[in-house]
Amino acid sequence: MSDPGSIFISYRRSDSIAETGRIYDRLTSEFGRDHVYKDVDSIPLGSDFAEELDKAVGQCRVLLVIIGKTWVSVTEPDGTKRLDNPDDFVRIEVESALKRNIPVIPVLLEGASMPKQSQLPESLHKLARCNGTQVGYDPRFHADMSRLVKALKGLLETAPHQAVDKSPKIIALGKNVNIELVNIPGGRFLMGSLERKGYDSEQPQHEVTVPEFWMGKFPVTQAQYEAVIGKNPSQYPGADNPVEKVSWHDAVAFCEKASQETGTAFRLPSEAEWEYACRAGTTTHYSFGQSLTKEQANFNSNVRKTTPAGQYPPNNFGLYDMHGSVWEWCQDHWHTNYEGAPKDGIAWMTGDSHYHISRGGSWAVYPGKCGSAFRIFYPPGYRHNDLGFRVVCSAPRALR
């Protein structure tokens, strides 16, 4: 599923297995088997099915939802609606596409109707507004499929004309020191945690639309900080280690001076941008899954100090050290929960200006505080040996 023109087919076996098989056969005859993904049987044994489905959907260009007569109403053995189960395969697939802004096309089988918002979990409400198509039984089937194939070809063929260089950008900071920025594509995601699955401050979970931006591949290092500010306040020296013992004011000053010297408008990320970038399309507790190991991040059970940036694996966006390492300042003022939070990705600057948000955990805390949704706050003048920052910008000027 690596081809950018891939088509993902989401369906319920109990609802439409035979019809989906015919649709799949027609699509593979038009686009090739390598470009159409249909079945959870493709998931490797022993893998986390939610992560694998999320990854597969993330690689597709369009998702087809095959909706039969019982797609909405099918239930679990205990009588609850399957769609109300967050681990439902179909729900995971559609959620993953919607949050990434991947086109979702409902394909209504003969006799089926579009689900209403009231029949869907909140995370799938947008599905009720997606423009769909119908595929009937013979003799309608081939004519209906020809219309669907034509629409898919038109949708997929738009991609080459939208090609833009999204490769990492390198900005010169002076003194032979550069900073590398990674493109973060715009999209929608669910910010925070579900009720009873996180801290009160992470609720209510809410949908946020985040515009495209660029983010530092690593936390700001000591070499980068010293190249701009002219000093290094860190307790654990190392040119490639993240700078620490910097206050929110210090981080803002770095952004302002680096912006003046490079012509690139650096700033701290909004809290929504930070979580969106950290999750990188995932919905699990960490960007690596439901657990965090010492091979994936520097947290309390590891080396008990900072380590060079990039020593641990990156997330799906190519960002390093989003979990552990050092806490990272965000622009936002602290709020005790997300009631009234912005839904457009901007920083939430109303409220208590005596405290600002930090995210990501650090080398000094346990994994539970390194989660994608975990929030903490400090006074803007506070400094500590596990507190650093990462920069973002909207349109970088590249060195190369």
Side-chain angles (χ1 to χ4, degrees):
M1 270 288 288
S2 61
D3 186 87
S6 297
I7 300 166
F8 191 109
I9 301 178
S10 172
Y11 73 105
R12 291 199 184 284
R13 295 188 179 193
S14 62
D15 176 60
S16 59
I17 187 168
E19 297 90 340
T20 300
R22 290 193 73 192
I23 292 171
Y24 173 78
D25 289 341
R26 177 64 188 276
L27 292 178
T28 56
S29 71
E30 297 282 350
F31 298 98
R33 290 189 179 275
D34 290 341
H35 307 315
V36 183
Y37 182 104
K38 176 177 73 77
D39 218 309
V40 295
D41 289 343
S42 303
I43 297 176
L45 293 176
S47 299
D48 184 311
F49 71 86
E51 291 179 32
E52 292 296 327
L53 287 174
D54 189 62
K55 186 186 305 181
V57 172
Q59 293 174 338
C60 77
R61 284 291 325 284
V62 61
L63 183 136
L64 305 181
V65 187
I66 312 299
I67 299 177
K69 295 179 182 179
T70 63
W71 187 86
V72 170
S73 60
V74 65
T75 59
E76 302 281 10
D78 63 2
T80 60
K81 273 176 53 174
R82 192 167 295 174
L83 270 179
D84 291 335
N85 181 356
D87 289 332
D88 174 43
F89 283 4
V90 169
R91 175 171 169 173
I92 291 170
E93 292 162 356
V94 180
E95 282 178 344
S96 183
L98 290 174
K99 75 187 178 187
R100 288 183 167 93
N101 270 341
I102 293 170
V104 175
I105 301 177
V107 178
L108 303 176
L109 301 179
E110 194 160 313
S113 57
M114 274 293 292
K116 300 175 182 179
Q117 281 193 351
S118 59
Q119 297 175 296
L120 300 170
E122 185 176 358
S123 60
L124 299 187
H125 277 185
K126 281 189 170 56
L127 176 64
R129 300 199 300 269
C130 292
N131 190 25
T133 189
Q134 291 185 332
V135 173
Y137 302 129
D138 290 328
R140 288 181 46 191
F141 178 80
H142 291 291
D144 289 346
M145 283 302 302
S146 293
R147 283 193 293 272
L148 176 58
V149 167
K150 182 178 179 180
L152 287 171
K153 287 182 176 178
L155 182 64
L156 298 175
E157 286 171 1
T158 62
H161 305 292
Q162 298 172 350
V164 177
D165 181 14
K166 304 295 186 181
S167 59
K169 306 301 180 188
I170 298 177
I171 313 296
L173 297 177
K175 300 181 181 178
N176 295 317
V177 176
N178 302 323
I179 191 167
E180 189 169 357
L181 303 174
V182 173
N183 178 258
I184 309 299
R188 296 190 295 263
F189 82 112
L190 291 175
M191 183 174 181
S193 298
L194 290 170
E195 189 176 355
R196 297 187 297 277
K197 288 195 174 183
Y199 292 88
D200 290 345
S201 62
E202 301 166 12
Q203 297 163 10
Q205 191 178 61
H206 57 292
E207 185 178 87
V208 179
T209 300
V210 179
E212 176 190 38
F213 64 102
W214 296 73
M215 188 175 222
K217 188 174 185 178
F218 311 105
V220 171
T221 66
Q222 295 175 30
Q224 291 165 344
Y225 190 85
E226 191 165 2
V228 173
I229 300 299
K231 61 181 180 180
N232 179 11
S234 304
Q235 180 171 324
Y236 304 110
D240 294 328
N241 285 24
V243 67
E244 16 92 6
K245 299 188 75 172
V246 286
S247 68
W248 184 87
H249 294 305
D250 295 333
V252 170
F254 173 93
C255 293
E256 291 174 348
K257 189 169 182 182
S259 299
Q260 294 170 0
E261 295 182 353
T262 66
T264 293
F266 292 109
R267 58 178 173 82
L268 293 178
S270 70
E271 187 178 15
E273 287 174 329
W274 192 97
E275 184 171 328
Y276 177 74
C278 180
R279 289 189 179 281
T282 64
T283 58
T284 46
H285 192 62
Y286 307 96
S287 62
F288 299 113
Q290 294 292 14
S291 60
L292 193 66
T293 70
K294 63 182 181 180
E295 289 75 33
Q296 294 169 327
N298 179 9
F299 54 85
N300 183 265
S301 66
N302 291 1
V303 294
R304 302 290 299 167
K305 62 179 181 179
T306 60
T307 49
Q311 183 169 305
Y312 298 90
N315 70 8
N316 292 340
F317 282 157
L319 299 171
Y320 290 79
D321 302 321
M322 295 296 282
H323 302 295
S325 187
V326 290
W327 290 102
E328 299 182 8
W329 285 112
C330 295
Q331 290 186 52
D332 307 50
H333 295 168
W334 167 251
H335 296 78
T336 56
N337 58 43
Y338 287 133
E339 293 289 348
K343 296 183 178 180
D344 56 3
I346 65 171
W348 198 4
M349 299 301 290
T350 60
D352 191 350
S353 62
H354 294 94
Y355 298 98
H356 284 270
I357 297 289
S358 287
R359 288 297 209 109
S362 78
W363 62 263
V365 302
Y366 289 101
K369 294 185 177 181
C370 299
S372 299
F374 187 82
R375 315 168 68 217
I376 201 168
F377 61 95
Y378 294 112
Y382 181 74
R383 298 181 177 93
H384 200 265
N385 61 7
D386 67 344
L387 185 54
F389 67 102
R390 188 183 303 250
V391 299
V392 300
C393 68
S394 299
R397 292 179 56 185
L399 173 65
R400 70 169 189 267

